[in-house]
Amino acid sequence: DTAVSQTPKYLVTQMGNDKSIKCEQNLGHDTMYWYKQDSKKFLKIMFSYNNKELIINETVPNRFSPKSPDKAHLNLHINSLELGDSAVYFCASSHRYEQYFGPGTRLTVT
Amino acid sequence: GQQVMQIPQYQHVQEGEDFTTYCNSSTTLSNIQWYKQRPGGHPVFLIQLVKSGEVKKQKRLTFQFGEAKKNSSLHITATQTTDVGTYFCAATNFGNEKLTFGTGTRLTIIP
């Protein structure tokens, strides 16, 4: 049973395209997150949702738009992709403090 | 914003040697967590420390939170090949739910 799942696992696309990454958790957690991990392995929070409400919105270009249709899902839509968007994107969820990460989506923009 | 620095950035050790990574913040932390990320994998929660001076052990791993709650360390005794990965500390400030990850220490083991 996968606790936090993401699709797709790999995403290769051209500059200027729009793409979405989906995330689902079956842990019953209230809070979900999106993180970006760059090529140097730095892990930075992008967004956090609690019970479908946005609670953390870091300095992220507005080309990135999260959407939480329900507590168990948090999707990430990216418009007009740029080369610098290439990274691994992790979804995570938490109940109290421990965060459970999904397997990641490796996005490559060419 | 809050920054959490980790040293060293990389560490190569012979199998069986000990390993330590240090995490430092300029501000007092509410708590600190440690995560391990295997190559090609995702971060996995190891432990949380909350109290000043707290020390916790998990088999060969010893975690410590500084008295001033501004630094933390993770020590692995007698490393094994399964310890390979990047170790991250992550911290929250008082009144701020955001978890800020440290820069990570990448551990490689020479068999």
Side-chain angles (χ1 to χ4, degrees):
Chain A
D1 288 342
T2 306
V4 183
S5 59
Q6 289 179 234
T7 54
K9 193 168 171 60
Y10 300 97
L11 189 49
V12 181
T13 188
Q14 291 186 328
M15 278 196 315
N17 284 348
D18 303 339
K19 289 293 176 186
S20 291
I21 307 172
K22 295 188 174 184
C23 177
E24 178 180 0
Q25 55 98 1
N26 62 6
L27 297 166
H29 290 167
D30 291 335
T31 309
M32 295 184 73
Y33 312 82
W34 277 110
Y35 287 88
K36 179 180 179 181
Q37 186 171 48
D38 62 22
S39 57
K40 293 184 179 178
K41 293 288 192 181
F42 294 141
L43 199 58
K44 286 198 70 175
I45 190 166
M46 300 172 69
F47 301 103
S48 174
Y49 270 74
N50 183 274
N51 272 320
K52 304 195 300 176
E53 281 193 36
L54 181 66
I55 56 170
I56 294 175
N57 184 353
E58 288 298 286
T59 311
V60 176
N62 57 17
R63 299 181 294 105
F64 290 78
S65 51
K67 201 161 272 189
S68 182
D70 56 57
K71 254 176 49 168
H73 296 84
L74 180 61
N75 304 323
L76 183 65
H77 187 76
I78 316 169
N79 287 328
S80 304
L81 278 155
E82 300 176 358
L83 291 176
D85 297 332
S86 295
V88 179
Y89 291 84
F90 287 103
C91 176
S93 73
S94 70
H95 171 55
R96 289 167 61 196
Y97 54 83
E98 177 179 346
Q99 294 199 9
Y100 292 79
F101 283 79
T105 296
R106 183 173 293 276
L107 171 64
T108 305
V109 183
T110 61
Chain B
Q2 176 183 269
Q3 285 193 327
V4 181
M5 302 302 296
Q6 269 184 266
I7 54 170
Q9 192 175 355
Y10 300 95
Q11 185 82 58
H12 312 282
V13 301
Q14 290 273 355
E15 189 175 6
E17 289 183 342
D18 293 356
F19 158 76
T20 305
T21 172
Y22 301 90
C23 185
N24 297 291
S25 168
S26 57
T27 58
T28 304
L29 303 170
S30 170
N31 59 64
I32 198 149
Q33 300 178 19
W34 285 92
Y35 290 78
K36 176 184 177 182
Q37 184 177 17
R38 292 182 187 272
H42 57 276
V44 174
F45 175 83
L46 295 176
I47 209 158
Q48 173 167 281
L49 304 171
V50 178
K51 298 177 185 172
S52 166
E54 189 170 12
V55 177
K56 286 189 176 179
K57 293 193 177 190
Q58 287 180 352
K59 296 183 180 176
R60 294 178 295 104
L61 278 59
T62 302
F63 304 84
Q64 202 158 355
F65 202 4
E67 293 289 342
K69 299 184 78 173
K70 289 185 176 182
N71 55 66
S72 181
S73 65
L74 157 59
H75 180 83
I76 304 179
T77 305
T79 53
Q80 299 174 358
T81 54
T82 52
D83 295 326
V84 162
T86 302
Y87 292 84
F88 292 96
C89 62
T92 57
N93 275 343
F94 292 100
N96 185 345
E97 295 295 321
K98 186 180 77 172
L99 194 62
T100 300
F101 277 78
T103 45
T105 296
R106 192 177 302 190
L107 172 65
T108 55
I109 308 286
I110 306 163

